[in-house]
Amino acid sequence: MEKSIDESFAVLTAHFTKSLAIEPMAPEGYSSLSLALIGDAVYDLAARYYVMSGGDRSVNQLHRMKSKLVRAEAQAVAADRIADGLSVREMAVYKRGRNTKTHTAAKNADIISYRKATGFEALVGWLFLAGRYERMMEIIREALRMDYE
């Protein structure tokens, strides 16, 4: 019997928790930037997996393809696309992340795109830590389906 996305991610996070001897993490205990940190990692892994699904290529090609998907401008576009479909709680998490003042400047993005990307990553991180994996993957699928060429 095939496992659902929720079951698969639950097994993975249970392995992390047990193998690393850490307590389960509740998203409410973390700042927006901390949520964005884990959301960035989850989204980056999904983007890497997505570009590799197109077949074997040079690492340089795969990196360039992945970079187009995870750059701030692409995440800002994704955030704009998903905004209308967010619940009130999801929108609050996104806005809190978007409006958080950061101490770093974006290297290759304007400040508006950078903040939207931070909000997007915070939302992905919040969904991940909340165990809402199906919803997280809906949002990631929507972001990755966009053509950035």
Side-chain angles (χ1 to χ4, degrees):
M1 185 170 150
E2 186 177 314
K3 288 184 179 181
S4 72
I5 291 172
D6 279 347
E7 291 171 318
S8 298
F9 271 107
V11 168
L12 177 64
T13 55
H15 281 298
F16 282 162
T17 303
K18 183 178 178 184
S19 298
L20 298 174
I22 57 176
E23 294 294 319
M25 296 181 273
E28 292 75 24
Y30 292 92
S31 71
S32 294
L33 294 179
S34 294
L35 293 175
L37 178 76
I38 193 77
D40 175 58
V42 170
Y43 185 67
D44 189 78
L45 179 60
R48 288 171 189 257
Y49 195 80
Y50 179 75
V51 299
M52 288 186 69
S53 71
D56 196 21
R57 295 179 175 89
S58 73
V59 172
N60 189 30
Q61 278 183 307
L62 292 169
H63 176 73
R64 280 185 279 134
M65 292 169 66
K66 186 271 307 182
S67 293
K68 287 180 182 180
L69 295 170
V70 300
R71 70 180 196 254
E73 291 89 352
Q75 289 181 359
V77 169
D80 288 341
R81 277 188 74 166
I82 65 166
D84 288 342
L86 297 179
S87 70
V88 172
R89 180 69 178 121
E90 290 168 346
M91 181 58 81
V93 171
Y94 165 74
K95 285 182 177 180
R96 192 176 64 140
R98 182 196 64 196
N99 295 336
T100 297
K101 302 292 186 253
T102 59
H103 300 289
T104 59
K107 289 185 278 184
N108 299 311
D110 63 87
I111 192 66
I112 293 170
S113 294
Y114 186 72
R115 287 194 173 164
K116 286 181 179 182
T118 302
F120 176 81
E121 291 171 346
L123 175 60
V124 171
W126 180 79
L127 290 167
F128 179 78
L129 291 181
R132 297 194 50 215
Y133 309 117
E134 285 281 352
R135 179 64 175 143
M136 178 189 76
M137 291 309 300
E138 286 175 14
I139 287 170
I140 289 173
R141 273 193 304 273
E142 182 66 19
L144 292 177
R145 81 171 182 83
M146 299 170 59
D147 181 18
Y148 297 108
E149 295 295 324

